[in-house]
Amino acid sequence: MNSTPTVIIVDPYSTGCLVAQEISRRGNEIICLWTKGFSEEMKQHVPMSCENLTYVYTLDEQETLQETKQVVLDTGMNIIGCIAGGEAGVDLADALSEALGLRTNGTAIPNRRDKKVQQELIAAAGLRSVRQAGGTTLAEVDAFLKTEPYPIVLKPTESAGSDGVKLCHTYEEAVDHFHTLMRSQMVNGGECPAVLCQEFLRGKEYVVDHVSRDGVHKTTMVWVYDKRPANGAAFVYFGCDAVDSESEEAKILIPYVRQVLDALGLKNGASHGEVIITSDGPCLVEMNCRARGGDGNWRPLCRALTGGFSQVEGAADALLDEEAFNRYPERPPSPFKAAGQEVILVSYAKGKVRATPGYDMIRCLPSFVYLETGIKIGSEVDYTVDLVTGIGSVILMHEDPAVLEKDVNFIRYMEEIKGIFVFESVAVQLSRPRAESVALPSLSESGVAHYPFSASGPNLVRLMSNDRPELMGSMIRRMTTIDASREAVIVVDPYSTGCLIAEEIYKRGYKVIALWTDGFSEEMKKHIPLSCTSLVYHAEVTEATTGLGETQKLVLMAAGALRVVACLAGGEAGVDLADKLSERLQLRSNGTEIPNRRDKKIQQELIAASGLRSVRQAAGTTFAEVEHFLRTESYPVVLKPTESAGSDGVKLCHNFNEAKDHFDLLMRSQMVNGGQCPAVLCQEFLRGKEYVIDHVSRNGVHKTTMIWVYDKRPANGAAFVYYGCYAVDSESPEAKILIPYVRKVLDALGLKNGPSHGEVMMTPDGPCLVEMNCRARGGDGNWRPLARALTGGYSQVEAAVDSYLDGAAFAALRDIPPSPFKASGEEVILVSYTRGVVKSTPGFDIIRKLPSFVYLETGVKPGTKVDYTVDLVTSIGSVILMHRDDAILRQDADRVRQLEKDDMLFEYEDPLESLGHKKRDEHNQQCFFSASRIDLY
C-alpha cells in the first residue's frame, strides 16, 4: 500500500477543484471519482487557477456501492477522506465515506439533497419552512397547484444552482413547467427524480457559508444578493455583497442556518444555505451540502475580508486538521479587514461584439481582483434579464471603502452608457419614418407593437382629450365664394396629412377628386387620420398608364360640370403628377421646369449651384457609379433612394461592405409608395441637430408655419432614438438662421406654391439641407391641434389650402409664427425600456388624465408584444401635450418619462422567471486576475 495520505473528491468541478487543490498543497494525493452519468462537458469545468491540478487516479462510480468501494481499495492508496466536489457527488461521497469508515455525514438521512426532504426535516425541527408538494406525477402536486396562491416556485428536487428553478404565475404555466422538468436532463447529469412545488418567498436572499467538523459549525461568510428590476425583468442579479457578522441580519441568519444543519444531519464538510428573510423570519430555500460554487472566484475577496481564510481552506481543515479547524473564529471578523464585493455585469444593449474596451478599463481599476466572462469578440450579447444573460462577474476589493464605491459606480456608469462593448456596426434609420415610408405587417398578423400609423387601421388605439374645448373645431372659419360648390379640387394621393388638407378643402364647400398615381398601394389608400372619417370624395380616379393626356381626360370626366380650380399633392408619391397635371390644366403650379425636384441628388446639386451649403454625394443606378465615393468618403455614410418618403430606405452605413450591401438592397427594392428605386444616393453623414421647417408658398412668397426640432437620444443600445418633437421659437438664434436658408432652398428648387417641409441639419459650419419634401408635413397631422394652439389659430393644413384657394387669407397670414407662442406644447414619443406581452395599459389611463393631454396614438393594446425601443418603428406611441402654462406642460412631460422609466406604462402577462443564481457555460469563460495585487497571493 502507498502510504501517502489520499483524499477522494467525488465530481471535482468548480469550487470543488479549489478544495482539491488546497488538499493537494498540503502533501496529499487526490483521487477523482466521477458519478454515473456525469456529463463530459461538466468535467471540463475547471477554474483557471486549477489548470495544474493532477489526480493520482481517475475512477468511475460502479453499479453498486460495494463495487465502487472495491475499485477505490484496489488503488492501494492510503485513503484518509472522501468529500463531494460538486452537487451531484454529495450522495456518493456520503455513502462511500461511511462505507470506508471515514469522517462522514452518513446515510441516516438517505437523500438530504432532496429539497422536499430538507423542508420536511426542518419543519419537524420546529423551524420556518415553505409550504410545498412534490412528486413524479402531476396528480401528486395538482391539489397544491390549484390551491396555493400564485406565483409558485417549481424546481427539481435535486439540482445545482437555479438549474430548472422557475417562478410560475398561473396554473397552466406550472403544469407546463412540471412536464418540462420531468422530461429534462439535469446539467450535472442524471434524470430529474421529482418536481417540487413551493410557495414563493418574498424578501431578501442571503447565502450563509459554513464548514463543519463533528457537528461543530463555523460560519465562513454571509452574503446577500443585489437583485433589481432591469430591462423589463423583475429579478436581475447586479451583484453579491458580504454581510457583517455583527449585523442584525447575520445575528438572525447564523443561528437559524446552524439549526438547519443539525436538522439535516450535516456534521462534516462545507455547506452553503440559501435563505430568504421573510416578514415572519428566515426561511430556508435550500441547503447545498457542498462548498459554494461560482468557481470560487469569491475566494480572494473572502480571504481579504476575513484577514486570511475562506470556505476553501476551512473545508480542507475540517477534513484534515482538527487543530486548525478549532482556531477558526465562530464567524467572520467584524468589521471586515477590507471592503469588497462581486459585481455582476448587466447589459442594456444587444449586438455582435467587435471589441471589449470596458473589460480593459475594469481591469485597470484600483480595486480589481478578478473578471470572469463568457463574452469575447464575435459573441452575441442580448439585454440582461436574468443571471444567464449577465455579461460577466467582477470581484472588487480594496482597503479603502471609498475607492471600492468609486470603482463600483464607474462600472455601473459604463453599463449605462453602453461602454462595455463596441458592437459590430449595423445600418440604422436616421430620419423619422412616417406611415408613407414604412411597410409593416398589421398587428393582427405580427402581434408586435410598432410606431402607430393610420395605415394600421382598426388595430390602432387613438385617444383624444374630450374636455379641452379650445381643441374642438376650427379656430378660424374660412369663408368661401358662392361658386365653391360648383368647383372641384384634385388632390393627388390623399393620405396622412393629405387627408386633412382634402378635408379642409371639402369643409370649405369644394368637391374633392382623389387622383391615385399608378401603382399606389391599396394599403396606403387606407391611411386615413382619425379626424377625417367624414371626408367624402366626389370621385376617385387612377392615373392612366397611357400618358398624362389620358389622365387629364379621366379627371375632367370625373369633374363633369364642375370647374377644376386647383390640383395639389396629398402625399409624397403624388408630387410629380400634381406638378405635371396642374401645369397642363393651367392651374397654380410648381411646374415641370425642374423635371424631378423630389430627387435628393438633384436637390443638393441645385442648392450647391445657388451657393448654399450642400452635402458631398454620389448617385447612380450601378455600383460602379458610386464606388469611388464610398471608398474615399469618411464613414459613416448615408445611403438612400433618390426618391422616397420619410426615411424609406435611408440607412447609416459604417463601412464599405455595409454600404455595398445596402446599395444592392435598394436597387432590388420596391418603394412602399409604388415604383422601383430609380437610383441610390450616397451622402456624407451630417452631424448636428435635426430641424424640420414647415412652409406654405404662393407665387414664390414663402410663409413659415412652424419650426420643429427632434429630441433624439441614445437608448437601449441604439444611438438615435426619437423621444419627441418640439416647436422652436421664431425669434430664436436657430430660427433666424434656418428660415432664410430654407427659403433660399425653396427658390433654388423652384417651389413657388403649396406646402413644403425641409429637413435641415445644423452642422458646425451652418445649416445644410438633408432633403426638401414638396408636400405638407406627415405624421397624420397629429401635430395640427398643437400647432394651432401655439400660433393662436392656424397650422400648415389651413395655410396650405389658403395658398391655393384664398389669396387674401394667405396674404394675411403671418410671415413667421408668433413669438412667444400662445401656449406650450410638444409631441412626446413613447419609449419602451421593457419587453413582453401586454396584459393591460394602466400608463395610458394616467397619461389621458394629465392636464396638458391632447392626443394619444398607439399600436399597443392587451395581447400586443412590446420590445425595447431602438428606433422610431419600435416606439410604442405618440402623445401630444399642450397647455398655456409651461410649468404644467413640463410637469406632465416629466410624468410621462417617469412612467417609462418605472415600467408603469404596461402590465405584462407574467413570464417564467429564473430565481436562483445559475452559472453560465463556465468552461467557455475568459478569466482575468489582477497581476499587480500582491495582497491577493
Side-chain angles (χ1 to χ4, degrees):
M1 177 178 289
N2 189 322
S3 62
T4 305
T6 303
V7 175
I8 302 167
I9 309 289
V10 184
D11 293 343
Y13 66 99
S14 185
T15 309
C17 293
L18 294 178
V19 176
Q21 184 182 59
E22 182 66 23
I23 292 171
S24 176
R25 282 174 177 168
R26 301 184 184 196
N28 304 284
E29 296 285 3
I30 305 293
I31 290 176
C32 166
L33 174 60
W34 296 115
T35 53
K36 286 183 291 187
F38 196 83
S39 74
E40 292 301 317
E41 181 182 18
M42 290 302 292
K43 290 179 182 179
Q44 301 170 38
H45 180 173
V46 179
M48 184 174 68
S49 60
C50 296
E51 290 175 349
N52 296 323
L53 177 63
T54 58
Y55 304 119
V56 64
Y57 287 100
T58 299
L59 308 175
D60 292 314
E61 180 185 10
Q62 304 300 299
E63 288 302 315
T64 66
L65 177 63
Q66 187 58 39
E67 290 173 331
T68 303
K69 175 182 175 182
Q70 190 57 51
V71 166
V72 169
L73 294 176
D74 287 347
T75 65
M77 302 301 292
N78 176 23
I79 309 296
I80 64 168
C82 175
I83 61 174
E87 180 67 23
V90 170
D91 292 342
L92 179 57
D94 285 345
L96 185 59
S97 58
E98 184 178 58
L100 292 170
L102 305 172
R103 179 166 281 99
T104 185
N105 287 313
T107 57
I109 298 173
N111 192 1
R112 60 170 57 84
R113 288 176 57 214
D114 186 309
K115 298 175 179 65
K116 180 171 180 287
V117 171
Q118 288 182 354
Q119 295 293 336
E120 291 170 349
L121 287 169
I122 66 171
L127 301 173
R128 167 72 161 97
S129 62
V130 298
R131 298 186 298 274
Q132 63 178 11
T136 58
T137 66
L138 182 63
E140 295 174 87
V141 300
D142 196 50
F144 179 84
L145 295 179
K146 287 180 176 176
T147 57
E148 178 67 19
Y150 281 82
I152 288 175
V153 177
L154 267 71
K155 60 176 79 170
T157 52
E158 299 177 10
S159 68
S162 65
D163 181 23
V165 181
K166 294 289 182 182
L167 182 66
C168 299
H169 293 77
T170 66
Y171 173 79
E172 291 74 21
E173 282 183 343
V175 169
D176 182 64
H177 192 57
F178 182 95
H179 292 313
T180 298
L181 287 177
M182 289 307 300
R183 292 193 303 266
S184 67
Q185 175 81 19
M186 295 295 94
V187 297
N188 292 331
E191 297 296 332
C192 172
V195 175
L196 181 60
C197 310
Q198 295 182 325
E199 70 169 298
F200 174 52
L201 299 171
R202 288 178 168 83
K204 270 194 175 182
E205 180 186 1
Y206 296 82
V207 178
V208 187
D209 298 344
H210 277 91
V211 290
S212 305
R213 181 182 172 97
D214 297 333
V216 176
H217 310 301
K218 302 289 182 79
T219 310
T220 56
M221 192 56 66
V222 181
W223 309 91
V224 61
Y225 285 126
D226 176 10
K227 294 193 287 186
R228 319 176 202 168
N231 292 322
F235 306 107
V236 173
Y237 284 88
F238 276 70
C240 187
D241 302 303
V243 178
D244 191 293
S245 62
E246 291 299 321
S247 66
E248 292 304 313
E249 306 97 296
K251 290 179 178 178
I252 295 170
L253 289 163
I254 291 173
Y256 173 83
V257 171
R258 290 182 179 180
Q259 291 178 75
V260 169
L261 293 173
D262 290 339
L264 302 185
L266 279 169
K267 301 176 181 178
N268 293 287
S271 63
H272 66 282
E274 300 173 20
V275 180
I276 299 284
I277 293 188
T278 69
S279 55
D280 53 349
C283 182
L284 182 72
V285 176
E286 59 190 71
M287 179 59 72
N288 300 277
C289 314
R290 55 180 171 84
R292 185 167 177 251
D295 285 0
N297 55 19
W298 39 266
R299 184 189 187 188
L301 169 61
C302 197
R303 288 167 44 152
L305 296 176
T306 62
F309 69 89
S310 74
Q311 191 182 43
V312 171
E313 296 82 16
D317 288 331
L319 178 69
L320 303 172
D321 192 336
E322 181 178 9
E323 224 175 277
F325 176 82
N326 290 336
R327 287 197 296 269
Y328 277 80
E330 287 291 314
R331 57 190 68 197
S334 175
F336 289 125
K337 308 296 184 182
Q341 68 182 78
E342 177 186 13
V343 176
I344 300 171
L345 299 176
V346 173
S347 172
Y348 296 101
K350 66 177 180 179
K352 190 172 184 179
V353 175
R354 191 174 77 189
T356 57
Y359 289 158
D360 296 332
M361 298 179 74
I362 289 171
R363 292 167 64 188
C364 294
L365 295 175
S367 65
F368 173 73
V369 173
Y370 179 84
L371 166 64
E372 182 181 66
T373 177
I375 307 302
K376 58 190 74 174
I377 294 172
S379 297
E380 291 284 349
V381 167
D382 202 348
Y383 301 99
T384 299
V385 294
D386 52 22
L387 195 77
V388 175
T389 49
I391 53 176
S393 171
V394 180
I395 300 295
L396 302 178
M397 185 274 290
H398 204 276
E399 293 180 358
D400 186 346
V403 172
L404 175 73
E405 182 180 10
K406 184 178 179 181
D407 289 355
V408 171
N409 291 338
F410 176 78
I411 292 175
R412 295 302 177 207
Y413 173 72
M414 290 290 292
E415 292 171 335
E416 290 172 7
I417 65 170
K418 290 85 180 176
I420 303 291
F421 307 121
V422 173
F423 293 112
E424 289 189 3
S425 57
V426 294
V428 297
Q429 289 191 335
L430 294 181
S431 299
R432 175 174 178 168
R434 296 299 186 184
E436 62 265 32
S437 66
V438 180
L440 292 167
S442 67
L443 292 174
S444 60
E445 294 171 349
S446 67
V448 180
H450 56 70
Y451 186 80
F453 300 118
S454 55
S456 303
N459 293 304
L460 273 185
V461 177
R462 294 185 179 98
L463 304 170
M464 292 287 293
S465 173
N466 57 10
D467 59 354
R468 302 288 298 280
E470 72 270 30
L471 303 175
M472 303 305 159
S474 297
M475 291 186 174
I476 296 178
R477 299 296 299 173
R478 300 296 193 196
M479 301 305 294
T480 59
T481 68
I482 195 169
D483 292 326
S485 62
R486 301 174 190 172
E487 296 171 339
V489 175
I490 302 166
V491 182
V492 186
D493 292 343
Y495 62 98
S496 186
T497 309
C499 290
L500 296 177
I501 291 175
E503 183 191 45
E504 181 67 21
I505 295 169
Y506 173 74
K507 285 180 177 178
R508 296 191 188 189
Y510 298 89
K511 300 296 188 290
V512 179
I513 297 173
L515 173 57
W516 300 109
T517 52
D518 180 43
F520 194 81
S521 74
E522 292 300 318
E523 180 185 11
M524 293 303 296
K525 290 179 182 179
K526 301 172 185 176
H527 180 178
I528 301 171
L530 180 68
S531 60
C532 294
T533 53
S534 62
L535 175 61
V536 177
Y537 296 125
H538 174 72
E540 295 187 53
V541 178
T542 301
E543 179 187 11
T545 57
T546 52
L548 183 61
E550 189 61 32
T551 301
Q552 179 185 359
K553 288 180 184 179
L554 292 173
V555 169
L556 293 177
M557 188 183 300
L562 298 173
R563 184 167 68 96
V564 177
V565 295
C567 175
L568 64 150
E572 180 68 23
V575 170
D576 293 343
L577 180 56
D579 286 346
K580 294 174 186 176
L581 187 58
S582 59
E583 184 179 61
R584 189 177 184 105
L585 293 170
Q586 297 184 335
L587 303 172
R588 188 173 308 285
S589 177
N590 288 314
T592 58
E593 183 180 351
I594 299 172
N596 193 0
R597 60 172 55 86
R598 288 175 58 212
D599 186 308
K600 298 175 177 67
K601 178 174 181 287
I602 291 175
Q603 289 182 353
Q604 295 293 336
E605 290 170 349
L606 287 168
I607 67 171
S610 297
L612 300 172
R613 166 74 160 95
S614 62
V615 297
R616 296 186 300 275
Q617 63 178 12
T621 57
T622 65
F623 189 71
E625 295 174 87
V626 300
E627 184 173 5
H628 177 73
F629 177 85
L630 293 177
R631 289 193 183 278
T632 56
E633 178 64 22
S634 299
Y635 281 85
V637 168
V638 178
L639 268 69
K640 60 177 77 170
T642 52
E643 298 179 11
S644 67
S647 65
D648 179 24
V650 180
K651 295 291 180 181
L652 182 66
C653 299
H654 294 76
N655 55 55
F656 177 81
N657 291 332
E658 277 185 350
K660 186 178 188 304
D661 289 345
H662 193 57
F663 182 96
D664 295 337
L665 174 65
L666 287 177
M667 288 308 300
R668 291 194 306 267
S669 68
Q670 174 80 19
M671 296 295 92
V672 295
N673 293 329
Q676 295 295 328
C677 173
V680 175
L681 180 60
C682 309
Q683 295 181 325
E684 69 169 299
F685 174 52
L686 298 172
R687 289 176 168 83
K689 267 195 176 182
E690 179 187 3
Y691 294 83
V692 177
I693 301 90
D694 297 343
H695 276 92
V696 291
S697 306
R698 182 181 172 95
N699 297 335
V701 176
H702 311 300
K703 302 287 183 83
T704 310
T705 56
M706 192 58 65
I707 304 168
W708 309 92
V709 62
Y710 287 126
D711 175 12
K712 293 192 288 187
R713 318 176 202 167
N716 294 321
F720 305 106
V721 173
Y722 284 87
Y723 275 70
C725 187
Y726 306 87
V728 177
D729 192 293
S730 60
E731 292 297 327
S732 66
E734 308 97 295
K736 290 180 177 179
I737 296 171
L738 290 164
I739 291 173
Y741 173 83
V742 172
R743 290 183 179 181
K744 290 177 183 178
V745 170
L746 293 172
D747 292 339
L749 301 184
L751 279 169
K752 301 175 181 178
N753 293 288
S756 62
H757 67 284
E759 300 174 18
V760 178
M761 195 71 73
M762 188 70 83
T763 71
D765 52 347
C768 183
L769 181 72
V770 176
E771 59 189 72
M772 178 58 71
N773 300 278
C774 314
R775 56 181 170 83
R777 184 169 178 249
D780 287 0
N782 56 17
W783 41 264
R784 186 187 187 190
L786 171 59
R788 297 200 314 190
L790 296 175
T791 62
Y794 69 91
S795 74
Q796 190 185 41
V797 172
E798 298 83 15
V801 177
D802 290 339
S803 70
Y804 280 97
L805 300 174
D806 194 336
F810 180 83
L813 186 68
R814 295 179 60 98
D815 183 59
I816 58 176
S819 175
F821 289 124
K822 307 298 183 182
S824 295
E826 65 184 78
E827 177 186 14
V828 176
I829 300 172
L830 299 177
V831 174
S832 170
Y833 299 101
T834 62
R835 61 179 167 188
V837 177
V838 173
K839 183 177 180 182
S840 63
T841 57
F844 290 164
D845 297 330
I846 296 172
I847 290 171
R848 292 175 64 189
K849 294 175 183 177
L850 297 175
S852 66
F853 173 73
V854 174
Y855 180 80
L856 165 64
E857 188 171 61
T858 178
V860 179
K861 60 184 77 172
T864 302
K865 296 176 184 175
V866 167
D867 207 339
Y868 304 106
T869 299
V870 294
D871 53 21
L872 194 80
V873 175
T874 50
S875 295
I876 50 180
S878 171
V879 179
I880 302 294
L881 302 178
M882 186 276 292
H883 206 279
R884 301 198 180 278
D885 186 339
D886 184 66
I888 291 176
L889 175 78
R890 292 267 53 82
Q891 178 179 312
D892 288 355
D894 290 344
R895 176 67 170 134
V896 174
R897 293 301 177 210
Q898 199 62 47
L899 290 171
E900 294 170 335
K901 291 176 182 175
D902 294 342
D903 302 337
M904 292 177 62
L905 288 175
F906 310 124
E907 180 186 359
Y908 291 105
E909 291 183 6
D910 296 321
L912 293 177
E913 294 162 347
S914 179
L915 297 180
H917 189 151
K918 183 176 181 178
K919 296 303 292 180
R920 296 167 56 92
D921 301 324
E922 288 86 349
H923 65 285
N924 289 322
Q925 302 288 297
Q926 297 182 89
C927 304
F928 303 95
F929 278 103
S930 172
S932 59
R933 298 287 300 278
I934 58 174
D935 53 324
L936 302 177
Y937 298 98

